Amino acid sequence: MNLLRTKSIEQSIADADEPGRKLKRSLSTWDLMIMGVAVAVGAGIFSVGAKAAANFSGPAVTLSFAIAAVTCALAIMCYAEFATAIPVAGSAYVFTYATMGELLAWIIGWNLILELFTAAAVIAKYWGIYLSKVFALMGADIPPAISLGGVDLYWGAFLIVAVFTVLLVLGTKLSARVGNVFTLIKIGVVLFVIVVGFTYVKFENYTPFIPAAEPTGGAGAADVLKQSFFGFLTGAAPAQYGTLGIFAGAALVFFAFIGFDVVATSAEEVKNPQKTLPRGIFGGLAVVTLLYILVSLALTGMVSYTQLAEAKSPTLTTAFEAVGDTSAAKVIAFGSLVGLTTVIMVLLMGLSRVVLAMSRDGLLPRALSKTSDKRSTPVRLQIICGAAVALVAGLTNVDLLEEMINIGTLSAFVVVSLGILVLRKKRPDLKPAFRVPFGKVLPVVSAVLCLYLMTNLAVETWIFFAIWLAIGLAIYFAYGQRHSRLNERFATANTAVNGGPVEAGTPSGSADDEDELTRA
């Protein structure tokens, strides 16, 4: 059993053209930029920025966003180099398969499913709650959940997931057009927040810019589980704020940048990916980072971080209500709804593309990788993903797993960053359209930063992550490893080289095949 066998880049590209499992190239640079903004603006601005300021960073949440942005930019450079060399669906999973072998590729693919599935479910649930808030502002009292046999059903999550599942089934380009409209609306709302927010800024709210570290007030088991893994390993008492608080805040707001690895999963649906992918990804990241920093400055300048910390679930609306601007709060509630809408769409698309890539390779059931002859979309798979997300978002307390999104993303970023070094060594003949500058330095820095941010996530998040990995490994050895198409080719090549009979219906192999398949 060779768990380090890799799949050649040529084979990955060939598999992407397999009849009945192909995706249509229809996305432009503009579509990719908007996609990145669509999935990022909303997740960060409307949910985690205020929480990070209140509980971790104080006014220095701006630095938390900057650190997260730099970390993301370094990792995304590695994604861009990979994506221009291997422009197929699957993102980090495909990149890892080509460099570090099948087992690690499965782990990364499994982590991407964790990231995208959990993110889609969490945001869908938030969307339903914001929808009820918008109705309330209009004078209609419609609760976000209805009780069915003692179980709370968040009906809004079912509604929004169903709508975008249908749109994604109808076509990626159509979904992108709808997403473009929503994204432009929410950018307008964000600009409104920035302009109006700065009119309420009081510079004394920025001091102290980095609040002194202080204990969280407990040392019980629950408190230990909530502290950062780094603090747990170093024996530090559970605390918040201070320099470590900035990095803890960065680990939390990193959730706001998950969109850009999702954009890389669409590589197979991009026109002229060698030029389009880098431009689209970096253009979107630049816009998002600027918006985040401006909003965080407005937020922490409007009200003291201590005032935000007093709220049970601080948001941008909390800040505007604190300064008495209820009309702005209404606009933000509407913007939050619109903002989260496009996030769900891109996450649902990314989830189906990762599963598509893994099922093409036989690590998940091959039937899931079938695409529609008419629309070139994975209809069956998209419906399955949509139904699963809707059920979890609508029927469970999925928001408890919010940090799981970050740890899944960061683990993929670490492997992709290191994978660039492996790719360059194994395939010096490749000439990707984009190449990470400064040789080995930036990929290594990217991996170290991502790993450090991972250690700033809570102890309980690491425990859940370990459980998730254990489940994934059990599935791989029970199903994926035995049904892997690469495993079948490997066995066939060995049989042919050793002079044994080749099973009927199996492609023939050669010594060259075996050398390619065993290269690790």
Side-chain angles (χ1 to χ4, degrees), residues 501-507:
V502 177
E503 295 181 16
T506 309

Side-chain angles (χ1 to χ4, degrees), residues 132 142-156 158 394-395:
S132 293
I142 302 177
I146 56 177
S147 182
L148 291 177
V151 177
D152 287 337
L153 170 65
Y154 287 82
W155 58 271
F158 277 91
L395 297 173

Side-chain angles (χ1 to χ4, degrees), residues 224-275:
V224 170
L225 290 177
K226 294 293 183 184
Q227 78 174 124
S228 74
F229 191 55
F230 181 81
F232 175 78
L233 292 176
T234 57
Q240 60 187 152
Y241 306 128
T243 303
L244 291 181
I246 296 174
F247 285 95
L252 179 62
V253 301
F254 196 83
F255 174 74
F257 293 94
I258 63 170
F260 297 97
D261 67 313
V262 178
V263 172
T265 68
S266 64
E268 196 175 316
E269 296 165 271
V270 175
K271 293 181 287 188
N272 192 9
Q274 282 71 24
K275 292 183 178 180

